[in-house]
Amino acid sequence: MSSALSHDELEAYFALRTAGDRLQRAVTGQLREHGLTEVQFSVLATLAAEPGGLGMTDLARALVVTKSGLTYQATQMEARGLVARSTSAEDERAVRVELTPAGLRLLAEVMPGHVALVRELLIDRIDPTALATVRDALRQVTGEPRNSRSGPGATER
Amino acid sequence: MSSALSHDELEAYFALRTAGDRLQRAVTGQLREHGLTEVQFSVLATLAAEPGGLGMTDLARALVVTKSGLTYQATQMEARGLVARSTSAEDERAVRVELTPAGLRLLAEVMPGHVALVRELLIDRIDPTALATVRDALRQVTGEPRNSRSGPGATER
DNA sequence: AAAGATTGACTGCTCAATCTTC
DNA sequence: GAAGATTGAGCAGTCAATCTTT
């Protein structure tokens, strides 16, 4: 039982959704120039910090995408030589995804423009003192799905 | 030139994207139960506040969607009887979209659950005093201090 | 020529089902 | 049976091109 959202609450909700949408649109457009989708970029960025590679499920969870969606993207990226998939030695079920040198190179090529864009569209528009507040508040939002309710996780059926 | 993003800045960026993604996923899933996509829900909500109806371009701009995407959704919704399209009397080019009684009814039916979900996933997780800060900060990001509806839109090429 | 809107081809993604290995 | 991953069907959305009216 929850009452209607107050004006401020509604505004906050809209602001979040709109800000997220706008940022996403801009980023997507820029990445497109490099032939990358957003998920692909996230894959590159995430794997760059994981020299040992990652399992598909773990990677999917980290990126908040479905496993099948990740498989699709991984196939595209592998065909382009950006990542390599290999079956794990210990667990024959598991597939480990790793960044190739080409993938790392592309990431390095894309990163500066990406950072500049995020700075221009997001960081530079938020008061530095407010930034920490925003970050902390949004972290609470991403925090694990609260008990009692059907967790809105990206779990596949 | 812009330097790399600091840790805090990166975290803020990441938090925004992740929070937006999670919220979107949860909302999408819930709306699906009513056979609505997110855009369709936004159409209902927006038109409910516009008794006179809206032109396709204006509506698309308000929703931050492309015109062709909106046309697609409008077709689906019209087939389902949720909205009605009619050519404007003054301008033969313009199409006015309006909510039907059935559309209004469905909106009323969906709204409570939607509000509850947003409250649970977003509002209740943010400290009330921080909420205003977050709202204001994100408003800066969307880049429209003017409250007129002439926001920089998703104009089609 | 410009503005409003739609259409068609194509992509990315989700869901449900399947296969394999544990 | 459960976990890791993939496949195939189908939907929502983008882009480019087109049509009509101004």
Side-chain angles (χ1 to χ4, degrees), chain B residues 62-77:
Chain B
L63 302 187
V64 194
V65 183
T66 58
K67 279 192 294 182
S68 36
L70 179 58
T71 295
Y72 172 73
Q73 292 298 167
T75 303
Q76 308 297 313
M77 295 178 78

Side-chain angles (χ1 to χ4, degrees), chain A residues 73-134:
Chain A
Q73 292 297 166
T75 303
Q76 308 296 314
M77 296 178 79
E78 192 169 38
R80 210 176 142 193
L82 301 176
V83 299
R85 277 183 291 189
S86 57
T87 18
S88 165
E90 307 104 19
D91 190 338
E92 288 280 331
R93 296 173 300 179
V95 170
R96 220 184 40 188
V97 204
E98 265 177 305
L99 217 54
T100 63
L104 191 59
R105 241 181 288 124
L106 181 57
L107 179 62
E109 186 184 316
V110 172
M111 216 42 214
H114 179 71
V115 166
L117 190 62
V118 170
R119 188 174 281 293
E120 175 193 343
L121 262 44
L122 181 71
I123 306 297
D124 285 354
R125 297 188 183 213
I126 298 182
D127 183 272
T129 62
L131 195 64
T133 303
V134 172

Side-chain angles (χ1 to χ4, degrees), chain B residues 54-57 85-97:
Chain B
L54 240 56
M56 293 293 280
T57 298
R85 277 183 291 191
S86 56
T87 10
S88 165
E90 306 102 21
D91 190 338
E92 288 280 331
R93 297 172 300 177
V95 170
R96 220 183 40 186
V97 203

Side-chain angles (χ1 to χ4, degrees), chain A residues 37 39 66 68 72-73 91-93 157:
Chain A
T37 65
V39 174
T66 58
S68 37
Y72 171 74
Q73 292 297 166
D91 190 338
E92 288 280 331
R93 296 173 300 179
R157 287 302 127 80

